[in-house]
Amino acid sequence: MTAQEWVGKLCRRWYVLAVVLLATMGGLWAVHGRSITYRGCDALFLGAPPLPWNRNVITGQNASVPMVAGMVSEQLNSGPVRTQLQAAGVTQYYNVLMTNTGEVRFPSYTSPTLHICVSSTSPQAVLATTAAASRKFESLLHTMQADRRVHAKSMITVTSLARAVPRPITGQPGQAYLGVVLMGLLAGVAFVFWTDPLLTRWRYRRVRVA
């Protein structure tokens, strides 16, 4: 089929393209009204105390800094701590994720690093929640060590590796608009070439009956 035949068929079935255009406009309107979800993560690193003050009862023979990171992460993920943060105005849900140094099927957590991640339709809420959860993590770690009378120089410290930067993960207008337009174009051409022989036969039969 030549290019002229393609154009002629599309022009002949302009009303099919008009119907697809209306449907595409509806899709664009739905994209326009959809909210954007942002996600950001704080990255934290737990540092062991330097020599010769590394005698920390929490990181004795049966524990390690990554294990301590996991213990505090469990506390931060617990219901009572979430309730405390909600009472303080932190209403967004957060995830505390230890760094997986293994594989998906066989995870391993041997690195003293973790991420506190938040997803929200508000970038400001992402920043506020990750900051509050990170401060709470440091507070829980300090309390755990203080309760065991760990000397200040022997305490495990928390270093911020990266602060949360809210990035859109769903509802990105530019990509969504482009996707809807491309789907509309492809659907329009496909419907024209699918309906053209059907409409031609229908018109032929109608003429014969008449």
Side-chain angles (χ1 to χ4, degrees), residues 104-127:
V104 176
R105 294 179 57 189
F106 306 101
S108 177
Y109 304 97
T110 59
S111 174
T113 56
L114 59 111
H115 294 81
I116 300 176
C117 300
V118 177
S119 298
S120 173
T121 56
S122 168
Q124 292 76 19
V126 171
L127 295 174

Side-chain angles (χ1 to χ4, degrees), residues 16-207:
V16 176
L17 293 176
V19 173
V20 176
L21 176 61
L22 291 175
T24 303
M25 292 179 64
L28 291 173
W29 179 256
V31 170
H32 180 73
R34 187 173 63 169
S35 60
I36 302 175
T37 300
Y38 298 88
R39 182 176 175 84
C41 299
D42 273 6
L44 304 180
F45 170 80
L46 273 66
L51 293 172
W53 301 286
N54 61 342
R55 296 181 180 178
N56 190 319
V57 295
I58 298 180
T59 59
Q61 295 179 354
N62 298 322
S64 63
V65 176
M67 186 177 295
V68 173
M71 293 164 58
V72 181
S73 298
E74 287 293 328
Q75 279 190 285
L76 188 58
N77 272 327
S78 66
V81 173
R82 290 185 182 275
T83 301
Q84 293 176 10
L85 290 174
Q86 288 176 358
V90 182
T91 58
Q92 295 295 327
Y93 187 84
Y94 59 85
N95 286 319
V96 186
L97 307 170
M98 292 284 295
T99 302
N100 182 10
T101 55
E103 301 177 359
V104 176
R105 294 179 57 189
F106 306 101
S108 177
Y109 304 97
T110 59
S111 174
T113 56
L114 59 111
H115 294 81
I116 300 176
C117 300
V118 177
S119 298
S120 173
T121 56
S122 168
Q124 292 76 19
V126 171
L127 295 174
T129 304
T130 51
S134 295
R135 289 195 300 268
K136 188 62 176 179
F137 182 91
E138 295 184 38
S139 175
L140 292 171
L141 176 62
H142 184 273
T143 301
M144 177 186 291
Q145 297 179 97
D147 289 345
R148 290 164 175 78
R149 298 180 180 180
V150 176
H151 192 274
K153 292 184 178 180
S154 298
M155 284 191 173
I156 300 171
T157 57
V158 179
T159 301
S160 175
L161 298 178
R163 289 300 183 187
V165 178
R167 301 184 185 279
I169 56 174
T170 60
Q172 300 182 47
Q175 295 181 6
Y177 288 147
L178 180 61
V180 172
V181 170
L182 289 177
M183 290 178 62
L185 289 174
L186 294 175
V189 173
F191 271 110
V192 165
F193 281 85
W194 178 65
T195 58
D196 184 68
L198 299 178
L199 293 174
T200 300
R201 286 197 297 268
W202 176 77
R203 171 177 275 185
Y204 178 72
R205 291 176 182 176
R206 185 178 178 184
V207 171

